[in-house]
Amino acid sequence: MEKRYEGEVSGRSATLFTAALDQSSGVGTYVAMESFEGSVDGRKGAFNFAHSATTGGTDRSNEFFTIVPSSGTGELAGIRGTGGMTIDTDGTHHIWFAYEVD
């Protein structure tokens, strides 16, 4: 899966995504690894992050989100931290990072 990001997080990612999901009820869990290239708050580079969550069909719980240590390049070399994701009712995804860079 490829994703595009616009805003303070701008760029693209290649995502390896897997899920165990009941299609009829929307209940399940996903796990994803993303390789991001672009800019975060104006800093250009690349890094990897992992995230997962469980859904009861209309909610998100047991969320996990982490930047892979030592994966940053360019102006994002040394990036570390966490982040999160929210999803609008129309399906639009919003991502944020709580990070530090060496």
Side-chain angles (χ1 to χ4, degrees):
M1 169 187 312
E2 260 192 42
K3 295 181 184 177
R4 278 183 322 158
Y5 296 93
E6 298 175 1
E8 291 179 26
V9 176
S10 179
R12 65 170 196 80
S13 71
T15 307
L16 184 60
F17 182 92
T18 189
L21 185 71
D22 178 338
Q23 293 292 324
S24 63
S25 66
V27 175
T29 299
Y30 82 89
V31 176
M33 288 289 301
E34 297 201 32
S35 182
F36 172 84
E37 182 177 6
S39 65
V40 178
D41 297 326
R43 294 174 183 253
K44 294 180 181 180
F47 63 94
N48 299 312
F49 59 98
H51 54 99
S52 67
T54 296
T55 179
T58 59
D59 63 334
R60 288 172 60 87
S61 62
N62 301 315
E63 293 181 80
F64 171 80
F65 197 113
T66 191
I67 296 171
V68 176
S70 297
S71 66
T73 66
E75 294 174 338
L76 294 169
I79 192 170
R80 62 189 175 284
T82 61
M85 186 179 307
T86 58
I87 304 171
D88 293 343
T89 55
D90 69 359
T92 302
H93 288 57
H94 302 273
I95 194 167
W96 56 269
F97 294 103
Y99 71 95
E100 295 179 354
V101 178
D102 290 335

